[in-house]
Amino acid sequence: MLGNLTTRPLGNHSFTLSGDNMRTYFILYFFVSVFFICGCATSYSPISKLESIGDAESKNADLIAVVGIQPLGDNSRFKDTAEENKITILKLSVENISSDFFSIESKNIYLRGIPDNEPISQLSPHEVADRMSLATGTYWLWGLLWLGYTETTNNETSSLWLPIGLPIGAINFFRARSTNNSFEEEITQNAFSDVELLPGEKESGMLFFNRAGGIKYNLVISYTDSSKNKKEIIIPYKL
């Protein structure tokens, strides 16, 4: 009896391995599968508790405002997609240092271009998550990878083919989708929200802009006091 192991990678090409080494190749296949399952689709590392980078501060009689770049931590693939899509995530902190209270609406926080004064509105967390999401559909290409075993007994040949790439693709697909969901959930929960700041209170959160780094802007925070007077505080900042 002669046993042969055949693989068919991404197409109709195939090659045959000696049955004497079948156990060795099955062990090898096991470890290769574990490697791809564990290494292809990335897991997600939370970012909201990371300290901002390159902080700038502005202060008036009402508020102290501090803004910096929100690091993406160990999430290298999100860093790549942010760079490709020219998305910058900022972390803003605003503290009330007066005896009055102030209302801040997130929609009234924006970038103003220098020197053209062009207003640049924020992106929503959903838009950011959509643009920065990891590709998931390509993992199903693993389904084209099959493992075959051919056995010849008394001049009769039988074959068994298994879609070994399918579980690899499925596991990585669901891991990537879970990573995307975790990212969107975190940035949605930690986006800077509308707030009423009482004396001594402090609020912080993320801001999202479709702008590349290396350019200087004014970050404008418009707010109203208890008498409904409109005010603003400006932080010059280079993304």
Side-chain angles (χ1 to χ4, degrees):
M1 180 176 70
L2 176 62
N4 295 320
L5 181 68
T6 307
T7 60
R8 184 177 293 167
L10 303 180
N12 295 323
H13 302 289
S14 65
F15 57 91
T16 303
L17 303 171
S18 170
D20 294 338
N21 295 317
M22 184 174 61
R23 179 178 296 178
T24 300
Y25 287 109
F26 268 113
I27 293 173
L28 177 62
Y29 158 70
F30 172 78
F31 284 107
V32 169
S33 299
V34 169
F35 171 78
F36 280 111
I37 289 172
C38 295
C40 286
T42 183
S43 56
Y44 181 68
S45 175
I47 62 173
S48 59
K49 296 188 182 301
L50 300 177
E51 295 291 330
S52 55
I53 300 172
D55 290 355
E57 179 182 308
S58 188
K59 180 180 179 181
N60 61 18
D62 302 325
L63 305 172
I64 297 176
V66 180
V67 68
I69 299 292
Q70 169 66 61
L72 294 177
D74 297 327
N75 304 294
S76 58
R77 297 192 184 181
F78 282 116
K79 292 179 185 177
D80 293 340
T81 56
E83 185 174 340
E84 291 169 5
N85 291 279
K86 297 182 179 180
I87 292 175
T88 297
I89 303 178
L90 302 177
K91 178 178 283 187
L92 173 66
S93 173
V94 182
E95 182 180 1
N96 184 349
I97 58 173
S98 78
S99 58
D100 199 358
F101 73 85
F102 305 103
S103 298
I104 304 175
E105 294 185 26
S106 181
K107 68 179 182 180
N108 294 327
I109 303 174
Y110 58 94
L111 292 176
R112 185 184 290 159
I114 299 175
D116 57 11
N117 284 327
E118 174 197 3
I120 303 166
S121 300
Q122 295 183 58
L123 298 172
S124 70
H126 177 72
E127 287 178 291
V128 172
D130 184 58
R131 296 189 191 187
M132 291 178 58
S133 64
L134 307 181
T136 57
T138 53
Y139 287 116
W140 290 114
L141 292 175
W142 278 104
L144 300 175
L145 183 64
W146 290 64
L147 177 73
Y149 175 67
T150 302
E151 183 177 85
T152 302
T153 305
N154 298 326
N155 295 323
E156 292 185 2
T157 301
S158 60
S159 299
L160 175 65
W161 289 92
L162 299 173
I164 62 170
L166 191 58
I168 297 175
I171 291 173
N172 280 287
F173 169 83
F174 287 110
R175 285 187 64 188
R177 192 169 72 170
S178 174
T179 295
N180 289 337
N181 291 340
S182 296
F183 175 68
E184 180 171 5
E185 181 178 335
E186 183 174 31
I187 64 174
T188 299
Q189 291 177 350
N190 291 279
F192 196 97
S193 56
D194 298 348
V195 63
E196 296 260 345
L197 272 183
L198 298 177
E201 287 189 338
K202 187 175 183 179
E203 181 72 15
S204 62
M206 299 179 191
L207 309 173
F208 314 96
F209 294 99
N210 191 190
R211 284 296 180 271
I215 302 175
K216 193 171 184 178
Y217 297 92
N218 285 323
L219 179 69
V220 181
I221 305 164
S222 297
Y223 60 99
T224 57
D225 61 19
S226 57
S227 300
K228 303 301 180 182
N229 297 312
K230 293 183 178 181
K231 301 183 176 183
E232 65 180 31
I233 185 170
I234 297 173
I235 312 175
Y237 195 72
K238 186 174 183 179
L239 299 184

